[in-house]
Amino acid sequence: MRLIPNALRTRMVVSVLLVLVIFLSAAGIGQERAFRAAALSAEQDKLRGLVFALLGATEPAPRGGVVIADFDLPDSRLTQPESGLAAWLLNRDGNIVWRSPSALQAPPEVRVGDVGEFRFREGEQHFITSYHVRWLGVDAEAQHYRLVVEASKQPFNQQLRAYRRQLLGWLVAAATGLLITLVGTLSWLIMPVRRMERELRAVERGDATEIGGRYPDELQPLAGALNAMVQSERNQQARYRNALGDLAHSLKTPLAVLDGMLREGSDDPQKMREQVDRMRQITDHQLARASHAGRRTLAEAITLTPLIDKIINSLSKVYRDKDPAIDRCIDPALRARADEGDLYELFGNLLDNAYKWCEQQVLLSVEREGSALLIAIEDDGPGFPDNAEALLHRGSRADEQRPGQGIGLASVNDLVGIYEGTITIDRSLHLGGARIVLHVRA
């Protein structure tokens, strides 16, 4: 059973709802406690004022002591039985000196305190207030009294319940409004993701060729990466189809030659070996073309300097007798998002061609131009012939007397096309020999 929702929108709505419940619950509890504290303080002030009003109505009794006149009470509830408000005047010994007409029950227990001390206590059903005074009679000694007032909590509780209902209503309304607003905001924020999903589905169905439209800055790199992946997949499929077609077409001639030799009963093994070798070269070349990975937007970038160093070390052993000097102009931290095998073949063919034709010096420079690499390789050899562009096609060679298959620059040309680049062949102004400039996305 999945406890965590999988949909991003559902997760956000659940998260927002959880935050709203926690926040509004805490806010509601805080507001309720603040209101109760304020109402309790108001109740205490009200009873304090009533105590002082009763003390103002106190007068000497005919037989000594003090008494409060019933007709001069400050609150009419004190004259009504079971009105919820009652008062008592007690002496030092706790005996009742006076009680209000509403006080039918015994007074609550109140601890003796100091003169002038005001006490307030909250019980289960009543608020109890007491005040301790000392009365100085004309012909009598000072006497201590306790004035006790008991008020019912029913009005206070009713007020508190009314406030709670009102607060709950406001909180529910606020939560509903906030939830609707946040859900609408989240829907608006996630709209580009939904649109990207729809466009990606359209690409999968074949209804669209790429993810188009404008997206927020945070999603634009993702859209570009997805388009690059889609294009790379299509290029790969096209390479497979083209390689198979080219392979079938290229094998027709040597197969026809072999078939003719068999029909004629030829027993020339040298000619048969030449055709078999040619078929093997064609097959290897077409398979290599089909296996090129191309530019990988999301792949880990490869540092070029160690890769080029390995190629140069290998070529230095092959061309030990010539021992050419090579100058490199490459940032050690320069990286490229490309298949490592493609990079080995690209730089391997270029450097092997330069080592083969140079006299003593080779110059290699690689630099970054935005999202592309600018690769330039020069040598001090004889340079390219007039029909240099023909060397980019398989089998074309500048010198038939030197060993080789004539597919090095053709492989480079194929790779440049795969990486959406251009290749330029001309003469080096610095060394006087050949110069090849590649501009590829990597």
Side-chain angles (χ1 to χ4, degrees):
M1 181 178 179
R2 179 178 293 170
L3 298 178
I4 300 177
N6 194 38
L8 182 60
R9 181 177 181 180
T10 304
R11 288 189 178 193
M12 290 190 296
V13 171
V14 170
S15 301
V16 167
L17 185 60
L18 182 61
V19 171
L20 280 178
V21 169
I22 295 176
F23 175 77
L24 293 179
S25 297
I29 293 174
Q31 288 290 333
E32 190 271 342
R33 289 185 178 180
F35 178 82
R36 191 181 191 282
L40 193 62
S41 178
E43 192 71 25
Q44 185 175 353
D45 292 339
K46 186 189 304 181
L47 293 179
R48 186 193 295 267
L50 181 59
V51 167
F52 290 148
L54 287 173
L55 290 177
T58 302
E59 59 183 21
R63 300 181 180 181
V66 294
V67 70
I68 300 176
D70 294 342
F71 62 86
D72 199 17
L73 295 178
D75 194 316
S76 60
R77 290 179 297 170
L78 292 174
T79 63
Q80 302 171 7
E82 300 182 358
S83 62
L85 183 64
W88 296 266
L89 185 62
L90 309 177
N91 59 19
R92 182 190 295 270
D93 299 328
N95 298 322
I96 300 176
V97 176
W98 171 88
R99 71 169 67 196
S100 65
S102 61
L104 303 180
Q105 71 279 14
E109 295 184 2
V110 177
R111 185 170 58 87
V112 178
D114 298 330
V115 175
E117 183 180 1
F118 180 86
R119 292 183 178 179
F120 178 83
R121 186 175 81 238
E122 181 181 1
E124 294 183 2
Q125 301 294 331
H126 299 87
F127 294 114
I128 302 170
T129 302
S130 63
Y131 187 74
H132 301 266
V133 296
R134 185 176 61 174
W135 178 268
L136 295 176
V138 179
D139 298 326
E141 296 181 358
Q143 297 182 15
H144 291 264
Y145 295 94
R146 279 175 291 168
L147 182 58
V148 181
V149 178
E150 182 182 71
S152 174
K153 289 180 63 177
Q154 184 176 358
F156 175 83
N157 292 333
Q158 290 177 350
Q159 182 184 18
L160 192 59
R161 285 194 295 268
Y163 177 77
R164 286 173 178 170
R165 288 194 299 269
Q166 185 179 12
L167 178 62
L168 180 61
W170 281 108
L171 289 178
V172 170
T176 303
L178 285 174
L179 184 60
I180 294 174
T181 303
L182 289 175
V183 169
T185 303
L186 292 176
S187 300
W188 176 69
L189 291 175
I190 207 173
M191 193 180 300
V193 179
R194 290 295 182 89
R195 179 158 52 90
M196 181 178 291
E197 179 186 5
R198 290 194 299 268
E199 293 192 9
L200 187 58
R201 297 293 184 190
V203 173
E204 292 178 351
R205 294 192 304 267
D207 298 336
T209 58
E210 63 178 7
I211 298 175
R214 297 188 60 182
Y215 288 95
D217 295 340
E218 293 80 5
L219 294 180
Q220 196 62 44
L222 178 59
L226 290 175
N227 283 331
M229 291 177 62
V230 171
Q231 188 62 40
S232 176
E233 181 69 19
R234 287 177 176 165
N235 291 340
Q236 188 75 18
Q237 294 177 357
R239 286 196 297 273
Y240 286 143
R241 290 194 298 267
N242 295 336
L244 291 175
D246 293 344
L247 181 62
H249 180 75
S250 301
L251 290 178
K252 286 182 179 179
T253 299
L255 285 174
V257 173
L258 288 175
D259 182 65
M261 294 176 65
L262 291 175
R263 290 178 181 275
E264 296 173 0
S266 175
D267 58 351
D268 189 349
Q270 180 64 30
K271 290 185 178 180
M272 297 182 68
R273 173 59 58 186
E274 289 178 357
Q275 298 302 320
V276 171
D277 290 340
R278 183 181 178 188
M279 293 171 65
R280 181 180 296 109
Q281 294 171 7
I282 293 172
T283 303
D284 292 341
H285 174 68
Q286 296 297 342
L287 291 178
R289 286 183 59 193
S291 64
H292 292 323
R295 183 172 182 260
R296 297 181 176 180
T297 306
L298 300 180
E300 182 180 0
I302 298 176
T303 305
L304 296 180
T305 302
L307 183 143
I308 294 175
D309 288 341
K310 291 180 181 179
I311 297 175
I312 292 176
N313 291 334
S314 299
L315 291 176
S316 298
K317 296 176 182 178
V318 174
Y319 296 94
R320 183 183 296 108
D321 296 338
K322 181 182 293 189
D323 191 23
I326 180 169
D327 294 330
R328 290 172 293 177
C329 181
I330 305 174
D331 184 358
L334 185 61
R335 297 161 66 89
R337 293 191 180 275
D339 180 73
E340 188 174 11
D342 292 349
L343 293 176
Y344 269 112
E345 182 173 355
L346 181 69
F347 285 101
N349 284 323
L350 289 175
L351 289 172
D352 180 65
N353 191 71
Y355 269 65
K356 182 188 298 183
W357 293 98
C358 76
E359 295 294 337
Q360 280 295 319
Q361 193 171 2
V362 176
L363 175 62
L364 173 65
S365 66
V366 184
E367 60 184 20
R368 170 72 63 185
E369 283 189 353
S371 61
L373 288 179
L374 181 62
I375 304 171
I377 184 166
E378 308 174 36
D379 62 66
D380 59 350
F384 289 107
D386 294 337
N387 59 339
E389 299 296 331
L391 299 176
L392 300 179
H393 303 288
R394 189 179 66 85
S396 298
R397 298 168 57 191
D399 189 351
E400 299 290 341
Q401 302 301 320
R402 295 203 180 189
Q405 305 297 333
I407 61 175
L409 288 180
S411 297
V412 172
N413 188 41
D414 291 340
L415 282 172
V416 170
I418 291 172
Y419 284 86
E420 304 174 12
T422 59
I423 181 170
T424 304
I425 297 178
D426 56 13
R427 180 168 294 276
S428 172
L429 299 178
H430 301 287
L431 302 181
R435 179 173 182 264
I436 300 178
V437 179
L438 308 181
H439 192 273
V440 295
R441 296 187 63 191

